[in-house]
Amino acid sequence: MRKLIVLVIILLIFLGLWSAFAKYTPQLLDLGRKSTIQEQSKEKVRIVSEESVVVDIVEKISPSVVTVGIEQRIVDVDPFDIFRRPQSIRQEQDIGSGFVVESNGLIVTNKHVVGSQGKYKVITHDSKKYDVESIYRDPGNDIAIVKIRSTSRLKPVEMGDSSKVKVGQLVVAVGTPLGEFRGSVTKGIISGLGRGITAGSVFESFVERLDNVIQTDAAINPGNSGGPLVNSSGQVIGVNTAVASGAENIGFAIPINIVKDALSNFNKTGGFVRPYLGVAYRMISRELAILNNLPEGAYVQQVVEGSAAAKAGIQEGDIIIRFDGNKVIEKEGGLAKIIGKKKVGDTVAITIWRDNQTLEIKATLDTAPNQ
């Protein structure tokens, strides 16, 4: 009898548990489904939001981005027809990019984009072509301003503050890569800040040391030069200028604050007025100085004839170690940064190292040539 009672009690407990399980299982399953749907919804919103940011950037900046082209005449010769007279053919080629900074037709690009002789043209976002009326090249940076005459007001970009740029932030590059694909857009991040690079090639007309540039992994190719590097707010924070040879996704841009300073200079003077010493140099880093038992500073490779440096007696092979009381150190921007803080006409004290001796000289800074 007792065994029967125990079995009945066990059966009742089992039936009670089964009833409770059957009652609450649908609700638990529904909660699980809702949680999964919410997670999927959040993920979808995050992805769509990132896409929409890029789309918004492109829609904002594209009307202000231009292509720079050059018109040249080439001689067409047929080597298999000696009786055919050579013919001169006009050829147009897209060579770089740029962006509008003032609605009256002022456009910023790289100096090396418009560094050769030829008739330049600007092609706007709506495929209209304009002849370049004048070019102003900044001798201290790889920057140039080109002026066109437009019958309609152009849309200028909004310039940001490159001093607030952070490594890892989203950026977009816009331009005409390879001189073929106008208005191309690439996306990436800021990979590094304060880089120092030598832009150009010793086999070409353009070789220049650029300090404090922005590194990005947004794809930049020949033809992108002069185009804008843009932050997530659609503000230009840099001018795309170079790509590391033999590498992938390593591009560089000149900070926009340098451009803003250059534009301010241009608007005040109608050109680029900068102090000029007149030396071509290579920075000797601390490590290189220790290895070669040399002082740290700027090694003079060439002195421009008739320049302030030549008049002061600076010679090839000298090492400039102090400039107006400031140590010339590569990590602090080198000689160019110190000179850039001076004014035309300033007389400065220069300490140089020559033949294992230090010499003190003075130089009066000239106006940099508009080359």
Side-chain angles (χ1 to χ4, degrees):
M1 185 67 180
R2 290 179 180 177
K3 289 183 179 180
L4 180 62
I5 293 171
V6 171
L7 286 174
V8 170
I9 292 171
I10 292 172
L11 180 62
L12 289 172
I13 292 172
F14 177 78
L15 289 172
L17 291 173
W18 175 259
S19 176
F21 179 76
K23 180 179 179 181
Y24 291 106
T25 294
Q27 296 179 20
L28 292 171
L29 291 173
D30 189 49
L31 281 173
R33 282 196 297 270
K34 285 183 178 179
S35 176
T36 302
I37 291 170
Q38 287 175 353
E39 288 178 2
Q40 291 176 346
S41 178
K42 288 180 181 178
E43 181 69 14
K44 183 177 180 181
V45 169
R46 186 187 67 80
I47 295 172
V48 171
S49 177
E50 183 177 341
E51 289 177 351
S52 65
V53 167
V54 175
V55 171
D56 289 345
I57 294 170
V58 175
E59 289 181 348
K60 180 177 179 179
I61 195 69
S62 290
S64 305
V65 180
V66 303
T67 296
V68 179
I70 188 169
E71 180 183 305
Q72 295 176 315
R73 288 194 172 274
I74 61 171
V75 178
D76 180 28
V77 179
D78 186 351
F80 301 103
D81 187 354
I82 61 174
F83 299 104
R84 182 189 174 198
R85 296 179 60 184
Q87 295 181 337
S88 177
I89 300 175
R90 190 184 71 173
Q91 184 181 60
E92 291 186 6
Q93 175 65 50
D94 292 348
I95 57 171
S97 309
F99 53 91
V100 179
V101 290
E102 291 186 11
S103 58
N104 61 357
L106 284 188
I107 292 164
V108 165
T109 185
N110 283 138
K111 185 172 69 177
H112 74 262
V113 171
V114 289
S116 62
Q117 298 298 319
K119 185 178 181 181
Y120 291 97
K121 292 183 177 295
V122 165
I123 301 95
T124 54
H125 178 66
D126 54 3
S127 298
K128 293 181 180 178
K129 287 186 179 182
Y130 299 91
D131 291 331
V132 171
E133 294 186 338
S134 51
I135 301 173
Y136 304 90
R137 301 175 179 89
D138 184 345
N141 299 290
D142 185 20
I143 298 170
I145 293 177
V146 299
K147 181 73 171 68
I148 64 172
R149 186 187 299 276
S150 173
T151 54
S152 57
R153 293 180 66 82
L154 302 175
K155 181 183 178 182
V157 299
E158 179 184 352
M159 289 185 274
D161 184 353
S162 52
S163 69
K164 296 180 179 178
V165 170
K166 302 291 185 182
V167 173
Q169 76 177 72
L170 173 73
V171 288
V172 168
V174 186
T176 307
L178 306 180
E180 292 185 43
F181 309 106
R182 296 176 184 171
S184 292
V185 177
T186 55
K187 183 190 73 170
I189 62 169
I190 298 295
S191 306
L193 298 170
R195 304 303 197 200
I197 63 169
T198 299
S201 166
V202 294
F203 302 106
E204 299 173 2
S205 60
F206 168 72
V207 179
E208 187 167 2
R209 174 71 183 180
L210 300 175
D211 297 311
N212 197 34
V213 297
I214 299 168
Q215 180 187 337
T216 179
D217 70 346
I220 295 174
N221 294 282
N224 276 112
S225 292
L229 187 68
V230 190
N231 65 15
S232 57
S233 298
Q235 299 171 322
V236 178
I237 57 170
V239 183
N240 301 321
T241 192
V243 60
S245 177
E248 292 184 4
N249 300 332
I250 301 180
F252 302 97
I254 298 170
I256 198 64
N257 286 4
I258 294 177
V259 177
K260 290 195 285 189
D261 290 343
L263 278 170
S264 176
N265 188 336
F266 176 82
N267 288 328
K268 289 178 182 177
T269 64
F272 292 109
V273 179
R274 290 186 179 273
Y276 180 69
L277 182 61
V279 294
Y281 65 91
R282 177 186 176 188
M283 289 302 301
I284 299 176
S285 66
R286 181 177 177 80
E287 295 78 10
L288 191 61
I290 293 172
L291 286 173
N292 294 276
N293 195 26
L294 294 170
E296 188 176 359
Y299 176 78
V300 178
Q301 296 175 306
Q302 182 183 355
V303 179
V304 178
E305 185 178 349
S307 67
K311 294 173 184 175
I314 295 176
Q315 301 175 9
E316 293 180 11
D318 288 348
I319 300 176
I320 301 174
I321 56 178
R322 282 184 175 271
F323 190 91
D324 205 32
N326 299 289
K327 288 184 178 180
V328 180
I329 301 174
E330 183 180 33
K331 290 183 178 180
E332 295 182 5
L335 182 60
K337 186 173 182 179
I338 302 174
I339 295 175
K341 294 179 179 179
K342 303 300 176 182
K343 296 179 180 179
V344 175
D346 283 352
T347 298
V348 295
I350 302 174
T351 304
I352 62 173
W353 187 89
R354 180 191 297 167
D355 298 330
N356 296 318
Q357 294 182 341
T358 57
L359 303 174
E360 299 289 339
I361 62 175
K362 289 189 176 182
T364 302
L365 299 178
D366 294 329
T367 300
N370 186 16
Q371 52 188 349

